[in-house]
Amino acid sequence: MKPPPHRASDPGLRRQQFGHVVWVHCPQCDGPAKHNALGVKCIRCGYMTIPVIKPAAVQWARITISDPRCSHCRNPLPDTSRPLARGGDENRPVVRVRCPHCAKTMAYPARAWSAPSRASQQQPRRLKPYLTAQVAGNLLMVDNLAHLSALETYLGAALRERGPVRGLTMMARLPAWMKSSTNRAKILRSLRQLADRASKDGIDE
Ligand SMILES: [Zn+2]
Ligand SMILES: [Zn+2]
């Protein structure tokens, strides 16, 4: 870990301008899922909400056998409709499923099926943020890696300066407990732990 800079200035961005996604808990496997304007997409189990743009362009299929299991680790696989793919010797219909337990993506024989239920096409109502930590009785919430590293730089600096942008930037809106110097070491430690957890979980942006 590199030492925090002595001084840092407010980059002047709004919170939603840091990064392109917000990491949330997958509603299906609880793993890390990207949330953006197109919907939610889990990087662990493949769960996704369907972008409303052209749902008809996708053909849907489901693993042929009931109670499917991962052909690598034998753990149960989520049994939902997925986009149809082609594979194997005779170009048979398959779906590619990433196992939530061992993370291996394999192709499984599939048959045509209806699109996922409307419930899963809509965005789940309550998405829980993924990169969170308790710091001195407060909830620290980080949207993504760009947000995390901006906080690390700004909060780590002994001297924090206003940037070129006036008004309610993300940094200007930080709650007092985050800016307080008594919490600084704790916050920086939590941000480091979140960064480690993010990289272990395959969070890459
Ligand atoms: Zn998932
Ligand atoms: Zn597996």
Side-chain angles (χ1 to χ4, degrees), residues 13-87:
L13 302 177
R14 306 261 164 161
R15 180 157 177 172
Q16 60 272 27
Q17 292 175 298
F18 290 91
H20 303 290
V21 300
V22 175
W23 290 94
V24 296
H25 282 279
C26 169
Q28 184 167 273
C29 77
D30 214 37
K34 297 177 186 194
H35 181 213
N36 61 19
L38 291 178
V40 180
K41 191 168 192 297
C42 176
I43 61 169
R44 187 176 291 165
C45 75
Y47 169 94
M48 58 179 169
T49 52
I50 295 91
V52 280
I53 307 163
K54 23 175 200 172
V58 180
Q59 271 189 289
W60 296 94
R62 188 168 179 171
I63 301 176
T64 313
I65 51 164
S66 58
D67 188 24
R69 289 180 176 263
C70 171
S71 55
H72 185 73
C73 75
R74 309 307 304 162
N75 273 301
L77 292 172
D79 190 12
T80 50
S81 287
R82 293 157 193 282
L84 178 71
R86 297 269 163 192

Side-chain angles (χ1 to χ4, degrees), residues 119-155:
S120 64
Q121 290 188 51
Q122 285 157 1
Q123 300 215 350
R125 235 162 286 143
R126 281 227 263 134
L127 291 165
K128 280 192 298 159
Y130 194 80
L131 297 170
T132 63
Q134 286 288 334
V135 183
N138 300 283
L139 184 64
L140 175 66
M141 279 197 283
V142 171
D143 291 344
N144 52 51
L145 299 187
H147 186 210
L148 194 154
S149 90
L151 287 173
E152 227 175 6
T153 304
Y154 190 68
L155 297 177

Side-chain angles (χ1 to χ4, degrees), residues 9 21 102 111 117 132 140 164 178 183 192 194:
S9 71
V21 300
C102 72
R111 60 187 153 149
S117 68
T132 63
L140 175 66
M178 283 183 76
N183 287 331
R192 247 330 61 204
L194 282 179

Side-chain angles (χ1 to χ4, degrees), residues 84-119:
L84 178 71
R86 297 269 163 192
D89 299 338
E90 290 160 43
N91 214 21
R92 294 188 179 282
V94 295
V95 285
R96 287 181 212 291
V97 183
R98 187 175 150 122
C99 172
H101 306 276
C102 72
K104 279 251 185 318
T105 301
M106 318 276 260
Y108 297 87
R111 60 187 153 149
W113 203 261
S114 51
S117 68
R118 283 201 66 79

